[in-house]
Amino acid sequence: MTATLKPELLRPEDISRPSAALSPLQRAELLPLPAPYDRDDAQPAYKKLDALTQIDTSLDGFAAVGVQRPSTPDEEHEFTRRFIAGLRKLLSKADNWGFLEQLTLSLEHCTRCQSCVEACPVYTASGRNDLYRPTYRSEILRRLINRYVRPGGKWISSLKGEDIELNATTMCRLVELSYRCTLCRRCAQACPIGVDNALMTREIRKLFSMELGIAPKEIHDKGSMLQLRTGSSTGMNPSAVKDNVEFLDDEIYDLTGKKIQTPWDKQGADVLLIHNAGEILAWPENVMAFAVILEAAGISWTLSSDLGGYDNVNYGLWYDDAQFARVALRQAEAARKLGVKKIVLGECGHGHKASMVIADRILTGDLNIPRESSLVLLRDIVQSGRLKLDPSRNNFPVTLHDPCNMVRMMGIVQPQRDILKAICPQFREMTPHGVENYCCGGGSGFAIMSPHNFQDWRLSVGGRMKLKQVLDAFADQPGPEVKKYVCAPCSNCKGQFRDLFGYYGVWEKSSILYGGIVELIANAMTDLKQPFIQWEFH
């Protein structure tokens, strides 16, 4: 179905024309939320930026990357020269062998039918701001390639009326625009011929990172580079992570009465479990629940203290092929050294996609170790009868958030549902759900990005559709009298829920807690001395 668009569309060539803001966000036009979240004071006022800041906010008034404009004509010339060199590399088999075919198909076969736009939660939640149409940034990339890389591009682009001036304004806005998409790929799913606008967005990010050294500090300096240097994007080195998990072993005993010593570096174990290391610091109950379940089920498992072997984070997935490859190789090398039968990925959506899908391009030979989702292992454990489970211990309303990378990208749809239907009597689906589900709004790195005033955009626009979905799922019991649970089996998504719920006061207004799936399994175990879920730690 062809979407209905506003009569005056923002044109691709407008991106190069200087103005205070290309398309400012209109708060009054945002997607309405149900009561009491529909009040004017239901969310904080947007943060005001320092008037003296030099960063460019001329896209929509917000800054995720925080690019500083070139200050001299020579700097602008060098800026554009390197950008064009990057465009050429995107079309080079030698430089972009991993993604060239998909990129070429998406560049050449879009019919501009706009069938994808209504599938985008950012576009719809923004009040259908043309700037956030999935096709808008893709069309800009397409025209820049046609104009500056293709033979005869200048003449042909002018003849077709598709010329775009490549200047500092264009580039500053384009890099910011590539961080207004969560790469959820709902638009690609809606396209009748499979054009992947999310891939094109990711290629824009890659160009800026690999050719111009421009990427958000949170995912590059404090993410990939920190992980390669210390072993984890949290900054925990091997000694620190072992100390933290040893502390959690003591906490398990206090909470459950079970004496568990987490195995480290166990040669020949059946399972190398790799958590998102952020769980250890931010949501330690998730790590503890995994240990309780695996020990009770009699699984031969281990963690690795090898550099890079205890954190399944790979932020390169979102912005940079080189950083991605370096991290993926370290994780696989840790598993190879231990001689484990398989790697099991903890509750981390992008970690799943990075290790189980994209890493297939580079993990060959003895590094091609079987890799499996923890959701599959957990489903098998629950259905095997190896745990003593009482569903009545989870007799409160529960809904499920489907992480985009696990579900839409990889098709892991049913295992988590089999678990919840077995142990949660009041489980209900969101609408829509499964592969049609909406992104949490924290995908592609957004959940860890709050620079300048970007957090206001991330929570008021990026996560707005998801918040509405959650509230609608509990519409029969909207108030704070009944405690409710959003199962989000992804560390990145939980980071977004933490910030989103705090921003709107969701616990105070609706008593909705977010958490993983292992916490619900552990909470149903009858041989623990007290309920595993601690509602007071919302």
Side-chain angles (χ1 to χ4, degrees), residues 346-366:
E347 295 186 14
C348 177
H350 93 271
H352 273 62
K353 179 181 176 182
S355 294
M356 297 174 64
V357 179
I358 306 302
D360 274 350
R361 292 164 166 80
I362 55 174
L363 299 183
T364 59
D366 61 357

PDB file of all heavy atoms in Angstrom, residues 346-366:
ATOM      1  N   GLY A 346      24.397 -14.763  25.837  1.00  0.00           N
ATOM      2  CA  GLY A 346      23.445 -14.322  26.860  1.00  0.00           C
ATOM      3  C   GLY A 346      22.410 -13.384  26.275  1.00  0.00           C
ATOM      4  O   GLY A 346      22.269 -13.249  25.057  1.00  0.00           O
ATOM      5  N   GLU A 347      21.660 -12.727  27.150  1.00  0.00           N
ATOM      6  CA  GLU A 347      20.539 -11.905  26.697  1.00  0.00           C
ATOM      7  C   GLU A 347      21.049 -10.573  26.145  1.00  0.00           C
ATOM      8  O   GLU A 347      21.035  -9.546  26.823  1.00  0.00           O
ATOM      9  CB  GLU A 347      19.550 -11.710  27.841  1.00  0.00           C
ATOM     10  CG  GLU A 347      18.888 -13.020  28.267  1.00  0.00           C
ATOM     11  CD  GLU A 347      17.798 -12.828  29.315  1.00  0.00           C
ATOM     12  OE1 GLU A 347      17.357 -11.691  29.541  1.00  0.00           O
ATOM     13  OE2 GLU A 347      17.400 -13.829  29.921  1.00  0.00           O
ATOM     14  N   CYS A 348      21.483 -10.615  24.906  1.00  0.00           N
ATOM     15  CA  CYS A 348      21.996  -9.411  24.240  1.00  0.00           C
ATOM     16  C   CYS A 348      21.665  -9.519  22.759  1.00  0.00           C
ATOM     17  O   CYS A 348      22.208 -10.381  22.064  1.00  0.00           O
ATOM     18  CB  CYS A 348      23.501  -9.286  24.430  1.00  0.00           C
ATOM     19  SG  CYS A 348      24.214  -7.865  23.557  1.00  0.00           S
ATOM     20  N   GLY A 349      20.772  -8.665  22.279  1.00  0.00           N
ATOM     21  CA  GLY A 349      20.303  -8.770  20.904  1.00  0.00           C
ATOM     22  C   GLY A 349      21.379  -8.503  19.870  1.00  0.00           C
ATOM     23  O   GLY A 349      21.589  -9.304  18.950  1.00  0.00           O
ATOM     24  N   HIS A 350      22.091  -7.393  20.004  1.00  0.00           N
ATOM     25  CA  HIS A 350      23.094  -7.090  18.982  1.00  0.00           C
ATOM     26  C   HIS A 350      24.253  -8.074  19.068  1.00  0.00           C
ATOM     27  O   HIS A 350      24.888  -8.380  18.053  1.00  0.00           O
ATOM     28  CB  HIS A 350      23.565  -5.641  19.084  1.00  0.00           C
ATOM     29  CG  HIS A 350      24.789  -5.444  19.914  1.00  0.00           C
ATOM     30  ND1 HIS A 350      24.748  -5.216  21.270  1.00  0.00           N
ATOM     31  CD2 HIS A 350      26.101  -5.456  19.580  1.00  0.00           C
ATOM     32  CE1 HIS A 350      25.969  -5.096  21.727  1.00  0.00           C
ATOM     33  NE2 HIS A 350      26.823  -5.228  20.732  1.00  0.00           N
ATOM     34  N   GLY A 351      24.525  -8.598  20.294  1.00  0.00           N
ATOM     35  CA  GLY A 351      25.555  -9.619  20.424  1.00  0.00           C
ATOM     36  C   GLY A 351      25.189 -10.877  19.652  1.00  0.00           C
ATOM     37  O   GLY A 351      26.051 -11.540  19.059  1.00  0.00           O
ATOM     38  N   HIS A 352      23.889 -11.224  19.667  1.00  0.00           N
ATOM     39  CA  HIS A 352      23.415 -12.360  18.868  1.00  0.00           C
ATOM     40  C   HIS A 352      23.720 -12.140  17.389  1.00  0.00           C
ATOM     41  O   HIS A 352      24.307 -12.993  16.721  1.00  0.00           O
ATOM     42  CB  HIS A 352      21.895 -12.517  19.028  1.00  0.00           C
ATOM     43  CG  HIS A 352      21.470 -13.363  20.195  1.00  0.00           C
ATOM     44  ND1 HIS A 352      21.754 -13.041  21.496  1.00  0.00           N
ATOM     45  CD2 HIS A 352      20.748 -14.520  20.250  1.00  0.00           C
ATOM     46  CE1 HIS A 352      21.232 -13.958  22.302  1.00  0.00           C
ATOM     47  NE2 HIS A 352      20.627 -14.872  21.564  1.00  0.00           N
ATOM     48  N   LYS A 353      23.265 -11.013  16.866  1.00  0.00           N
ATOM     49  CA  LYS A 353      23.433 -10.753  15.432  1.00  0.00           C
ATOM     50  C   LYS A 353      24.912 -10.680  15.054  1.00  0.00           C
ATOM     51  O   LYS A 353      25.342 -11.230  14.035  1.00  0.00           O
ATOM     52  CB  LYS A 353      22.732  -9.454  15.041  1.00  0.00           C
ATOM     53  CG  LYS A 353      22.875  -9.106  13.566  1.00  0.00           C
ATOM     54  CD  LYS A 353      22.167  -7.794  13.244  1.00  0.00           C
ATOM     55  CE  LYS A 353      22.398  -7.384  11.784  1.00  0.00           C
ATOM     56  NZ  LYS A 353      21.745  -6.097  11.483  1.00  0.00           N
ATOM     57  N   ALA A 354      25.698 -10.018  15.901  1.00  0.00           N
ATOM     58  CA  ALA A 354      27.120  -9.858  15.598  1.00  0.00           C
ATOM     59  C   ALA A 354      27.814 -11.219  15.522  1.00  0.00           C
ATOM     60  O   ALA A 354      28.535 -11.516  14.567  1.00  0.00           O
ATOM     61  CB  ALA A 354      27.787  -8.973  16.650  1.00  0.00           C
ATOM     62  N   SER A 355      27.591 -12.061  16.520  1.00  0.00           N
ATOM     63  CA  SER A 355      28.324 -13.329  16.595  1.00  0.00           C
ATOM     64  C   SER A 355      27.735 -14.422  15.723  1.00  0.00           C
ATOM     65  O   SER A 355      28.465 -15.255  15.197  1.00  0.00           O
ATOM     66  CB  SER A 355      28.361 -13.821  18.050  1.00  0.00           C
ATOM     67  OG  SER A 355      29.114 -12.946  18.857  1.00  0.00           O
ATOM     68  N   MET A 356      26.409 -14.435  15.569  1.00  0.00           N
ATOM     69  CA  MET A 356      25.758 -15.563  14.916  1.00  0.00           C
ATOM     70  C   MET A 356      25.441 -15.314  13.444  1.00  0.00           C
ATOM     71  O   MET A 356      25.159 -16.247  12.708  1.00  0.00           O
ATOM     72  CB  MET A 356      24.474 -15.939  15.667  1.00  0.00           C
ATOM     73  CG  MET A 356      24.728 -16.402  17.102  1.00  0.00           C
ATOM     74  SD  MET A 356      23.211 -16.693  18.052  1.00  0.00           S
ATOM     75  CE  MET A 356      22.489 -18.055  17.145  1.00  0.00           C
ATOM     76  N   VAL A 357      25.447 -14.042  13.006  1.00  0.00           N
ATOM     77  CA  VAL A 357      25.094 -13.745  11.610  1.00  0.00           C
ATOM     78  C   VAL A 357      26.250 -13.045  10.895  1.00  0.00           C
ATOM     79  O   VAL A 357      26.845 -13.585   9.967  1.00  0.00           O
ATOM     80  CB  VAL A 357      23.820 -12.881  11.530  1.00  0.00           C
ATOM     81  CG1 VAL A 357      23.482 -12.568  10.078  1.00  0.00           C
ATOM     82  CG2 VAL A 357      22.653 -13.593  12.202  1.00  0.00           C
ATOM     83  N   ILE A 358      26.583 -11.848  11.322  1.00  0.00           N
ATOM     84  CA  ILE A 358      27.572 -11.045  10.596  1.00  0.00           C
ATOM     85  C   ILE A 358      28.966 -11.668  10.698  1.00  0.00           C
ATOM     86  O   ILE A 358      29.751 -11.630   9.741  1.00  0.00           O
ATOM     87  CB  ILE A 358      27.592  -9.599  11.121  1.00  0.00           C
ATOM     88  CG1 ILE A 358      26.167  -9.009  11.071  1.00  0.00           C
ATOM     89  CG2 ILE A 358      28.538  -8.739  10.287  1.00  0.00           C
ATOM     90  CD1 ILE A 358      25.536  -9.000   9.695  1.00  0.00           C
ATOM     91  N   ALA A 359      29.291 -12.271  11.850  1.00  0.00           N
ATOM     92  CA  ALA A 359      30.625 -12.851  12.019  1.00  0.00           C
ATOM     93  C   ALA A 359      30.864 -14.038  11.103  1.00  0.00           C
ATOM     94  O   ALA A 359      32.013 -14.465  10.926  1.00  0.00           O
ATOM     95  CB  ALA A 359      30.839 -13.262  13.485  1.00  0.00           C
ATOM     96  N   ASP A 360      29.805 -14.590  10.518  1.00  0.00           N
ATOM     97  CA  ASP A 360      29.987 -15.678   9.552  1.00  0.00           C
ATOM     98  C   ASP A 360      30.902 -15.273   8.405  1.00  0.00           C
ATOM     99  O   ASP A 360      31.530 -16.118   7.766  1.00  0.00           O
ATOM    100  CB  ASP A 360      28.632 -16.110   8.976  1.00  0.00           C
ATOM    101  CG  ASP A 360      27.939 -17.141   9.862  1.00  0.00           C
ATOM    102  OD1 ASP A 360      28.591 -17.649  10.790  1.00  0.00           O
ATOM    103  OD2 ASP A 360      26.758 -17.424   9.618  1.00  0.00           O
ATOM    104  N   ARG A 361      30.981 -13.976   8.153  1.00  0.00           N
ATOM    105  CA  ARG A 361      31.813 -13.493   7.055  1.00  0.00           C
ATOM    106  C   ARG A 361      33.303 -13.678   7.321  1.00  0.00           C
ATOM    107  O   ARG A 361      34.107 -13.713   6.395  1.00  0.00           O
ATOM    108  CB  ARG A 361      31.524 -12.004   6.781  1.00  0.00           C
ATOM    109  CG  ARG A 361      30.128 -11.723   6.211  1.00  0.00           C
ATOM    110  CD  ARG A 361      29.793 -10.241   6.337  1.00  0.00           C
ATOM    111  NE  ARG A 361      28.645  -9.847   5.527  1.00  0.00           N
ATOM    112  CZ  ARG A 361      27.370 -10.045   5.899  1.00  0.00           C
ATOM    113  NH1 ARG A 361      27.101 -10.631   7.047  1.00  0.00           N
ATOM    114  NH2 ARG A 361      26.374  -9.637   5.112  1.00  0.00           N
ATOM    115  N   ILE A 362      33.683 -13.750   8.598  1.00  0.00           N
ATOM    116  CA  ILE A 362      35.118 -13.769   8.912  1.00  0.00           C
ATOM    117  C   ILE A 362      35.559 -14.963   9.757  1.00  0.00           C
ATOM    118  O   ILE A 362      36.754 -15.256   9.829  1.00  0.00           O
ATOM    119  CB  ILE A 362      35.553 -12.473   9.635  1.00  0.00           C
ATOM    120  CG1 ILE A 362      34.703 -12.251  10.889  1.00  0.00           C
ATOM    121  CG2 ILE A 362      35.464 -11.284   8.683  1.00  0.00           C
ATOM    122  CD1 ILE A 362      35.177 -11.075  11.725  1.00  0.00           C
ATOM    123  N   LEU A 363      34.629 -15.668  10.432  1.00  0.00           N
ATOM    124  CA  LEU A 363      35.024 -16.781  11.299  1.00  0.00           C
ATOM    125  C   LEU A 363      35.030 -18.069  10.490  1.00  0.00           C
ATOM    126  O   LEU A 363      33.989 -18.666  10.234  1.00  0.00           O
ATOM    127  CB  LEU A 363      34.079 -16.889  12.498  1.00  0.00           C
ATOM    128  CG  LEU A 363      34.040 -15.675  13.427  1.00  0.00           C
ATOM    129  CD1 LEU A 363      33.119 -15.930  14.607  1.00  0.00           C
ATOM    130  CD2 LEU A 363      35.436 -15.289  13.901  1.00  0.00           C
ATOM    131  N   THR A 364      36.210 -18.488  10.121  1.00  0.00           N
ATOM    132  CA  THR A 364      36.352 -19.703   9.318  1.00  0.00           C
ATOM    133  C   THR A 364      37.298 -20.668  10.021  1.00  0.00           C
ATOM    134  O   THR A 364      37.912 -20.332  11.047  1.00  0.00           O
ATOM    135  CB  THR A 364      36.914 -19.366   7.918  1.00  0.00           C
ATOM    136  OG1 THR A 364      38.192 -18.731   8.093  1.00  0.00           O
ATOM    137  CG2 THR A 364      35.985 -18.433   7.159  1.00  0.00           C
ATOM    138  N   GLY A 365      37.418 -21.877   9.482  1.00  0.00           N
ATOM    139  CA  GLY A 365      38.336 -22.860  10.054  1.00  0.00           C
ATOM    140  C   GLY A 365      37.994 -23.190  11.492  1.00  0.00           C
ATOM    141  O   GLY A 365      36.823 -23.347  11.853  1.00  0.00           O
ATOM    142  N   ASP A 366      39.013 -23.277  12.358  1.00  0.00           N
ATOM    143  CA  ASP A 366      38.754 -23.661  13.751  1.00  0.00           C
ATOM    144  C   ASP A 366      38.174 -22.519  14.583  1.00  0.00           C
ATOM    145  O   ASP A 366      37.900 -22.696  15.777  1.00  0.00           O
ATOM    146  CB  ASP A 366      40.021 -24.221  14.403  1.00  0.00           C
ATOM    147  CG  ASP A 366      41.157 -23.206  14.435  1.00  0.00           C
ATOM    148  OD1 ASP A 366      40.989 -22.091  13.896  1.00  0.00           O
ATOM    149  OD2 ASP A 366      42.221 -23.536  14.992  1.00  0.00           O
TER     150      ASP A 366
END
